[in-house]
Amino acid sequence: MEKQTFIATCLFGLEKLVGEELDALGCTRLGTIDGRVRFEAPASEIPWLNINLRYAERLLIEVGRCPAPDFDTLFEGARSMPWEDYIGRNDQFPVKGHSIKSRLVSLPDCQRIIKKAAAKRLGGAYGLEYLPEAGVKYQIEFFIFKDEASLMIDTSGTPLHKRGYRPVSTEAPLRETLAAAMAKIARPRENVLFRDPMCGSGTIAIEAAMIMTNTAPGINRGFAAEEFPWLDGKLWDDARDRALDAIAETEFEAYASDISPEAVKIATENVRRAGMAKHIKVFAEDALKIKTEGRRGTIVCNPPYGERLSTVKEAEQLYRAMGRHFATLDSWQIYVLTSDDYFERLYGRRADAVRRLYNGMIRCNYYQFFKNRH
């Protein structure tokens, strides 16, 4: 298949990881803005990309771009795009999207205009006045930024952060893509114990183990583009076979613990569903009582904070206690994600590095302590 332009969307702060991942998958990057990486790859790689993208939220085909200073220009631009190359005469094509820093601020009006333009183009291509829209669903997405519109078709369907191993979660779950990024930044290694002492549903430990075993994140789920007739079903079978063959043996070990018995129960099931029980030990323990037991280790955690679970006062007390106890853990490295801008002051130490990340729309800081100090 010919090369195609794609957009990989992601949480704010993960663009660099998505770009590096696309490079490793053999794609050609074309540009990056907040939450979106534009690139080229053969259309035949749609299955491989969906199955393997670890930090992205969706894989979108870019059908075209056009100026959008007003609705008339948007209509003409959308009508000029080759929708018939993708969407069949009986297929569904709902429209949704976003507009940022643009004159066209009404999303329902943008949806209506783009829908009308696509219908006009498809009707002309198929010689139809009425389009039945009873077949395969092609979700059209628009992104209008500074009066330029990108019109796309979603190939992922369910967002890529939904791997399939977490049907039940603890309250306020961490998105899997963000958990994977946290684990990656913390540099998981075979000879260093990886610990999440506030594991909730076990997501961070699971994503770390999937990275270390080179397990494709989408290997056990389905995608919207599996229904696209112009994409040979054998490509999906081959991509899954390649992904299975790529899984690696490793001595990597992670501990996922939580003070909540219910969280431990949920995490245990999630670890089993993810196929990572060989590498992750799940158990109940108070995070403020963990010990090094003479081992090298890295702590990666997303403790409760006021917006998510506990009260602000309780969260602040926890951060102070974490600072005191984690200082006793010899040379362990500590990585903490929280939305509390005063975390360092409460924890009692300045971080060696801080990275801005987002959990959905919640702005967070990822505090990294490389050398523990007594």
Side-chain angles (χ1 to χ4, degrees):
M1 287 187 179
E2 294 182 2
K3 283 219 169 180
Q4 172 75 56
T5 302
F6 294 96
I7 305 291
T9 65
C10 63
L11 294 172
F12 293 159
L14 302 192
E15 297 87 357
K16 184 174 186 291
L17 286 175
V18 171
E20 291 171 349
E21 186 171 45
L22 290 169
D23 292 345
L25 290 168
C27 305
T28 303
R29 277 195 262 178
L30 301 175
T32 301
I33 62 172
D34 288 350
R36 312 174 80 81
V37 182
R38 188 167 178 260
F39 67 98
E40 278 187 344
S44 58
E45 290 294 279
I46 289 173
W48 184 243
L49 291 168
N50 268 300
I51 289 168
N52 282 278
L53 284 171
R54 198 176 300 278
Y55 311 106
E57 292 295 316
R58 290 186 183 277
L59 176 68
L60 308 171
I61 297 168
E62 184 182 82
V63 180
R65 305 165 89 181
C66 66
D70 54 60
F71 288 122
D72 287 342
T73 307
L74 174 61
F75 176 84
E76 293 301 330
R79 188 175 65 168
S80 72
M81 294 180 190
W83 298 107
E84 67 276 10
D85 289 353
Y86 307 95
I87 302 169
R89 62 187 293 125
N90 297 313
D91 295 336
Q92 306 171 59
F93 52 103
V95 178
K96 64 181 180 181
H98 304 279
S99 180
I100 299 173
K101 296 181 180 178
S102 294
R103 280 173 276 187
L104 302 183
V105 296
S106 170
L107 297 184
D109 285 338
C110 292
Q111 286 175 294
R112 179 177 55 81
I113 291 295
I114 293 167
K115 177 75 175 184
K116 184 178 177 182
K120 190 82 171 174
R121 173 80 184 207
L122 290 167
Y126 295 122
L128 298 173
E129 289 188 15
Y130 170 78
L131 296 165
E133 292 201 62
V136 174
K137 178 181 174 181
Y138 290 84
Q139 179 66 60
I140 295 175
E141 296 217 8
F142 64 87
F143 180 65
I144 305 175
F145 181 65
K146 294 183 178 179
D147 296 330
E148 182 180 61
S150 294
L151 303 187
M152 300 153 288
I153 291 173
D154 179 20
T155 73
S156 300
T158 302
L160 296 178
H161 74 260
K162 295 188 176 181
R163 323 292 206 203
Y165 63 72
R166 199 174 73 172
V168 178
S169 295
T170 54
E171 195 174 355
L174 190 69
R175 211 176 271 195
E176 292 91 330
T177 42
L178 178 56
M182 291 170 63
K184 178 69 172 179
I185 293 166
R187 297 183 303 117
R189 286 149 286 170
E190 281 194 335
N191 60 343
V192 178
L193 177 65
F194 187 99
R195 281 214 64 164
D196 181 358
M198 305 172 193
C199 73
S201 56
T203 311
I204 297 173
I206 290 170
E207 292 295 328
M210 291 178 74
I211 289 170
M212 290 300 291
T213 56
N214 198 37
T215 299
I219 200 168
N220 292 317
R221 53 156 287 178
F223 304 92
E226 290 186 73
E227 301 298 319
F228 297 177
W230 47 266
L231 200 57
D232 190 342
K234 188 174 184 300
L235 294 171
W236 293 94
D237 294 336
D238 291 347
R240 289 191 169 95
D241 288 343
R242 284 170 64 195
L244 284 169
D245 290 342
I247 294 174
E249 288 294 323
T250 177
E251 297 300 316
F252 173 75
E253 185 180 15
Y255 286 179
S257 57
D258 201 286
I259 199 169
S260 163
E262 181 62 22
V264 169
K265 181 180 177 182
I266 291 171
T268 300
E269 284 300 301
N270 290 342
V271 167
R272 180 187 61 79
R273 271 189 292 266
M276 295 296 135
K278 177 181 176 182
H279 301 284
I280 303 172
K281 181 180 178 182
V282 186
F283 54 96
E285 187 176 29
D286 185 340
L288 303 179
K289 294 181 180 178
I290 64 174
K291 298 177 181 178
T292 66
E293 299 174 345
R295 300 185 63 174
R296 293 177 64 201
T298 297
I299 286 177
V300 181
C301 64
N302 173 221
Y305 44 93
E307 294 174 45
R308 293 197 315 145
L309 300 177
S310 58
T311 67
V312 172
K313 185 177 180 180
E314 289 171 338
E316 290 178 349
Q317 290 173 342
L318 173 62
Y319 297 156
R320 290 190 182 97
M322 285 169 57
R324 289 191 297 270
H325 183 68
F326 288 179
T328 69
L329 300 178
D330 298 333
S331 60
W332 281 31
Q333 295 186 345
I334 313 293
Y335 295 77
V336 181
L337 182 77
T338 174
S339 67
D340 193 325
D341 290 331
Y342 299 101
F343 173 78
E344 289 169 300
R345 188 173 72 186
L346 296 163
Y347 188 78
R349 261 190 67 191
R350 286 190 66 83
D352 297 300
V354 182
R355 186 161 176 168
R356 177 65 52 82
L357 297 173
Y358 283 76
N359 186 15
M361 295 307 295
I362 301 175
R363 189 186 72 177
C364 301
N365 286 322
Y366 194 34
Y367 296 97
Q368 303 163 55
F369 303 91
F370 303 137
K371 293 183 180 180
N372 217 335
R373 304 182 187 114
H374 294 279

CSV table of all heavy atoms in Angstrom, one decimal, residues 129-161:
chain,number,residue,atom,x,y,z
A,129,GLU,N,-28.4,10.4,-4.2
A,129,GLU,CA,-28.9,11.5,-3.6
A,129,GLU,C,-29.0,11.3,-2.1
A,129,GLU,O,-29.0,12.2,-1.3
A,129,GLU,CB,-30.2,11.9,-4.2
A,129,GLU,CG,-30.1,12.5,-5.6
A,129,GLU,CD,-31.4,13.1,-6.1
A,129,GLU,OE1,-32.3,13.3,-5.2
A,129,GLU,OE2,-31.5,13.3,-7.3
A,130,TYR,N,-29.3,10.0,-1.8
A,130,TYR,CA,-29.5,9.6,-0.3
A,130,TYR,C,-28.4,8.5,0.0
A,130,TYR,O,-28.3,7.5,-0.7
A,130,TYR,CB,-30.9,9.1,-0.1
A,130,TYR,CG,-31.1,8.4,1.2
A,130,TYR,CD1,-31.3,9.2,2.3
A,130,TYR,CD2,-31.1,7.0,1.4
A,130,TYR,CE1,-31.4,8.6,3.6
A,130,TYR,CE2,-31.2,6.4,2.6
A,130,TYR,CZ,-31.4,7.2,3.7
A,130,TYR,OH,-31.6,6.7,4.9
A,131,LEU,N,-27.7,8.8,1.1
A,131,LEU,CA,-26.7,7.8,1.5
A,131,LEU,C,-27.3,7.0,2.7
A,131,LEU,O,-27.6,7.6,3.7
A,131,LEU,CB,-25.4,8.5,2.0
A,131,LEU,CG,-24.7,9.3,0.9
A,131,LEU,CD1,-23.7,10.3,1.5
A,131,LEU,CD2,-24.0,8.4,-0.1
A,132,PRO,N,-27.3,5.7,2.6
A,132,PRO,CA,-28.0,4.9,3.6
A,132,PRO,C,-27.3,4.8,4.9
A,132,PRO,O,-28.0,4.6,6.0
A,132,PRO,CB,-28.1,3.5,2.9
A,132,PRO,CG,-27.0,3.5,1.9
A,132,PRO,CD,-26.9,4.9,1.4
A,133,GLU,N,-26.0,4.9,5.0
A,133,GLU,CA,-25.3,4.9,6.2
A,133,GLU,C,-25.7,3.7,7.1
A,133,GLU,O,-26.0,3.8,8.3
A,133,GLU,CB,-25.4,6.2,7.0
A,133,GLU,CG,-24.7,7.4,6.3
A,133,GLU,CD,-24.4,8.5,7.3
A,133,GLU,OE1,-23.7,8.3,8.2
A,133,GLU,OE2,-25.0,9.6,7.1
A,134,ALA,N,-25.6,2.5,6.5
A,134,ALA,CA,-26.0,1.3,7.3
A,134,ALA,C,-24.9,0.3,7.4
A,134,ALA,O,-25.0,-0.8,7.9
A,134,ALA,CB,-27.2,0.6,6.6
A,135,GLY,N,-23.7,0.7,6.8
A,135,GLY,CA,-22.6,-0.3,6.8
A,135,GLY,C,-21.5,0.0,7.8
A,135,GLY,O,-21.8,0.4,8.9
A,136,VAL,N,-20.3,-0.2,7.4
A,136,VAL,CA,-19.1,0.0,8.3
A,136,VAL,C,-19.1,1.4,8.8
A,136,VAL,O,-19.4,2.4,8.1
A,136,VAL,CB,-17.8,-0.4,7.6
A,136,VAL,CG1,-16.6,0.0,8.5
A,136,VAL,CG2,-17.8,-1.8,7.2
A,137,LYS,N,-18.7,1.6,10.1
A,137,LYS,CA,-18.6,3.0,10.7
A,137,LYS,C,-17.2,3.5,10.5
A,137,LYS,O,-16.2,2.9,10.9
A,137,LYS,CB,-18.9,2.9,12.2
A,137,LYS,CG,-18.8,4.3,12.9
A,137,LYS,CD,-19.1,4.1,14.3
A,137,LYS,CE,-18.9,5.4,15.1
A,137,LYS,NZ,-19.2,5.3,16.5
A,138,TYR,N,-17.2,4.7,9.9
A,138,TYR,CA,-15.9,5.5,9.7
A,138,TYR,C,-16.1,6.8,10.5
A,138,TYR,O,-16.8,7.6,10.1
A,138,TYR,CB,-15.6,5.8,8.3
A,138,TYR,CG,-15.2,4.6,7.4
A,138,TYR,CD1,-16.2,3.8,6.9
A,138,TYR,CD2,-13.9,4.3,7.2
A,138,TYR,CE1,-15.8,2.7,6.1
A,138,TYR,CE2,-13.5,3.2,6.5
A,138,TYR,CZ,-14.5,2.4,5.9
A,138,TYR,OH,-14.1,1.3,5.2
A,139,GLN,N,-15.5,6.8,11.7
A,139,GLN,CA,-15.6,8.0,12.5
A,139,GLN,C,-14.7,9.1,12.0
A,139,GLN,O,-13.5,9.0,12.0
A,139,GLN,CB,-15.2,7.7,14.0
A,139,GLN,CG,-15.3,8.9,14.9
A,139,GLN,CD,-16.7,9.4,15.1
A,139,GLN,OE1,-17.6,8.7,15.5
A,139,GLN,NE2,-17.0,10.6,14.7
A,140,ILE,N,-15.3,10.2,11.4
A,140,ILE,CA,-14.6,11.3,11.0
A,140,ILE,C,-14.3,12.2,12.2
A,140,ILE,O,-15.2,12.5,13.0
A,140,ILE,CB,-15.4,12.1,9.9
A,140,ILE,CG1,-15.6,11.3,8.6
A,140,ILE,CG2,-14.7,13.4,9.6
A,140,ILE,CD1,-16.4,11.9,7.6
A,141,GLU,N,-13.0,12.7,12.3
A,141,GLU,CA,-12.6,13.6,13.3
A,141,GLU,C,-12.1,14.8,12.7
A,141,GLU,O,-11.3,14.7,11.7
A,141,GLU,CB,-11.6,13.0,14.3
A,141,GLU,CG,-12.2,11.8,15.0
A,141,GLU,CD,-11.6,11.7,16.5
A,141,GLU,OE1,-10.9,12.6,16.9
A,141,GLU,OE2,-11.9,10.7,17.1
A,142,PHE,N,-12.4,16.0,13.2
A,142,PHE,CA,-11.8,17.2,12.7
A,142,PHE,C,-11.0,17.9,13.9
A,142,PHE,O,-11.4,17.8,15.1
A,142,PHE,CB,-12.9,18.2,12.2
A,142,PHE,CG,-13.9,18.7,13.2
A,142,PHE,CD1,-13.6,19.8,13.9
A,142,PHE,CD2,-15.1,18.1,13.3
A,142,PHE,CE1,-14.5,20.3,14.9
A,142,PHE,CE2,-16.0,18.6,14.2
A,142,PHE,CZ,-15.8,19.7,15.0
A,143,PHE,N,-10.0,18.6,13.5
A,143,PHE,CA,-9.2,19.4,14.5
A,143,PHE,C,-8.9,20.7,13.8
A,143,PHE,O,-8.1,20.7,12.8
A,143,PHE,CB,-7.9,18.6,14.8
A,143,PHE,CG,-7.1,19.4,15.8
A,143,PHE,CD1,-7.5,19.6,17.1
A,143,PHE,CD2,-5.8,19.9,15.5
A,143,PHE,CE1,-6.8,20.3,18.0
A,143,PHE,CE2,-5.0,20.6,16.4
A,143,PHE,CZ,-5.5,20.8,17.7
A,144,ILE,N,-9.5,21.8,14.3
A,144,ILE,CA,-9.3,23.1,13.7
A,144,ILE,C,-8.4,23.9,14.6
A,144,ILE,O,-8.8,24.1,15.8
A,144,ILE,CB,-10.7,23.8,13.5
A,144,ILE,CG1,-11.6,22.9,12.6
A,144,ILE,CG2,-10.4,25.2,12.8
A,144,ILE,CD1,-13.0,23.5,12.4
A,145,PHE,N,-7.3,24.3,14.1
A,145,PHE,CA,-6.3,25.0,14.9
A,145,PHE,C,-5.8,26.2,14.2
A,145,PHE,O,-5.3,26.1,13.0
A,145,PHE,CB,-5.1,24.1,15.3
A,145,PHE,CG,-4.1,24.7,16.1
A,145,PHE,CD1,-4.3,25.1,17.4
A,145,PHE,CD2,-2.8,24.8,15.6
A,145,PHE,CE1,-3.3,25.6,18.2
A,145,PHE,CE2,-1.8,25.4,16.4
A,145,PHE,CZ,-2.1,25.8,17.7
A,146,LYS,N,-6.0,27.4,14.8
A,146,LYS,CA,-5.6,28.6,14.1
A,146,LYS,C,-6.1,28.7,12.7
A,146,LYS,O,-5.4,29.1,11.7
A,146,LYS,CB,-4.1,28.8,14.1
A,146,LYS,CG,-3.5,28.9,15.5
A,146,LYS,CD,-2.0,29.1,15.5
A,146,LYS,CE,-1.4,29.3,16.9
A,146,LYS,NZ,0.0,29.5,16.9
A,147,ASP,N,-7.4,28.4,12.6
A,147,ASP,CA,-8.1,28.5,11.3
A,147,ASP,C,-7.6,27.6,10.2
A,147,ASP,O,-7.8,27.9,9.0
A,147,ASP,CB,-8.1,30.0,10.8
A,147,ASP,CG,-8.8,30.9,11.8
A,147,ASP,OD1,-9.8,30.5,12.4
A,147,ASP,OD2,-8.4,32.1,11.8
A,148,GLU,N,-7.0,26.5,10.6
A,148,GLU,CA,-6.7,25.5,9.6
A,148,GLU,C,-7.3,24.2,10.1
A,148,GLU,O,-7.1,23.8,11.3
A,148,GLU,CB,-5.2,25.3,9.4
A,148,GLU,CG,-4.9,24.2,8.4
A,148,GLU,CD,-3.4,23.9,8.1
A,148,GLU,OE1,-2.7,23.6,9.1
A,148,GLU,OE2,-3.0,24.1,7.0
A,149,ALA,N,-8.0,23.5,9.2
A,149,ALA,CA,-8.7,22.2,9.6
A,149,ALA,C,-7.9,21.0,9.1
A,149,ALA,O,-7.5,20.9,8.0
A,149,ALA,CB,-10.1,22.2,9.0
A,150,SER,N,-7.8,20.0,10.0
A,150,SER,CA,-7.3,18.7,9.6
A,150,SER,C,-8.5,17.8,9.8
A,150,SER,O,-9.2,17.7,10.8
A,150,SER,CB,-6.2,18.2,10.6
A,150,SER,OG,-5.0,19.0,10.4
A,151,LEU,N,-8.8,17.0,8.7
A,151,LEU,CA,-9.9,16.1,8.7
A,151,LEU,C,-9.4,14.7,8.6
A,151,LEU,O,-8.5,14.4,7.8
A,151,LEU,CB,-10.9,16.4,7.5
A,151,LEU,CG,-11.4,17.8,7.5
A,151,LEU,CD1,-12.5,18.0,6.4
A,151,LEU,CD2,-12.0,18.2,8.8
A,152,MET,N,-9.9,13.8,9.5
A,152,MET,CA,-9.3,12.5,9.7
A,152,MET,C,-10.3,11.4,9.9
A,152,MET,O,-11.5,11.7,10.1
A,152,MET,CB,-8.4,12.6,11.0
A,152,MET,CG,-7.3,13.6,10.9
A,152,MET,SD,-6.7,14.3,12.5
A,152,MET,CE,-8.1,15.3,13.0
A,153,ILE,N,-9.9,10.2,9.8
A,153,ILE,CA,-10.7,9.0,10.1
A,153,ILE,C,-10.0,8.2,11.2
A,153,ILE,O,-8.8,7.9,11.1
A,153,ILE,CB,-10.9,8.2,8.8
A,153,ILE,CG1,-11.8,8.9,7.8
A,153,ILE,CG2,-11.5,6.8,9.2
A,153,ILE,CD1,-11.9,8.2,6.5
A,154,ASP,N,-10.8,7.9,12.2
A,154,ASP,CA,-10.2,7.1,13.3
A,154,ASP,C,-10.1,5.7,13.0
A,154,ASP,O,-11.0,5.0,12.5
A,154,ASP,CB,-11.1,7.3,14.5
A,154,ASP,CG,-10.7,6.6,15.8
A,154,ASP,OD1,-9.5,6.2,15.8
A,154,ASP,OD2,-11.5,6.3,16.6
A,155,THR,N,-8.9,5.1,13.2
A,155,THR,CA,-8.7,3.7,12.9
A,155,THR,C,-8.7,2.8,14.2
A,155,THR,O,-8.7,1.6,14.2
A,155,THR,CB,-7.3,3.4,12.2
A,155,THR,OG1,-6.2,3.6,13.2
A,155,THR,CG2,-7.1,4.3,11.0
A,156,SER,N,-8.7,3.5,15.4
A,156,SER,CA,-8.5,2.8,16.6
A,156,SER,C,-9.8,2.4,17.2
A,156,SER,O,-10.0,1.3,17.8
A,156,SER,CB,-7.7,3.7,17.7
A,156,SER,OG,-6.5,4.0,17.2
A,157,GLY,N,-10.9,3.3,17.2
A,157,GLY,CA,-12.1,3.0,17.8
A,157,GLY,C,-12.0,3.3,19.3
A,157,GLY,O,-11.8,4.4,19.7
A,158,THR,N,-12.1,2.3,20.1
A,158,THR,CA,-11.8,2.5,21.6
A,158,THR,C,-10.4,3.0,21.8
A,158,THR,O,-9.5,2.6,21.1
A,158,THR,CB,-11.9,1.1,22.3
A,158,THR,OG1,-13.2,0.6,22.1
A,158,THR,CG2,-11.7,1.3,23.8
A,159,PRO,N,-10.3,4.0,22.6
A,159,PRO,CA,-8.9,4.7,22.8
A,159,PRO,C,-7.8,3.6,23.1
A,159,PRO,O,-8.1,2.6,23.8
A,159,PRO,CB,-9.1,5.6,23.9
A,159,PRO,CG,-10.6,5.9,23.9
A,159,PRO,CD,-11.3,4.7,23.5
A,160,LEU,N,-6.6,3.9,22.6
A,160,LEU,CA,-5.6,2.9,22.7
A,160,LEU,C,-5.1,2.7,24.2
A,160,LEU,O,-4.5,1.7,24.5
A,160,LEU,CB,-4.3,3.4,21.9
A,160,LEU,CG,-4.6,3.4,20.4
A,160,LEU,CD1,-3.3,4.0,19.7
A,160,LEU,CD2,-5.0,2.1,19.9
A,161,HIS,N,-5.5,3.7,25.1
A,161,HIS,CA,-5.1,3.4,26.5
A,161,HIS,C,-5.9,2.3,27.1
A,161,HIS,O,-5.5,1.7,28.1
A,161,HIS,CB,-5.2,4.7,27.3
A,161,HIS,CG,-6.6,5.1,27.7
A,161,HIS,ND1,-7.3,6.1,27.0
A,161,HIS,CD2,-7.5,4.7,28.6
A,161,HIS,CE1,-8.5,6.3,27.5
A,161,HIS,NE2,-8.6,5.4,28.5
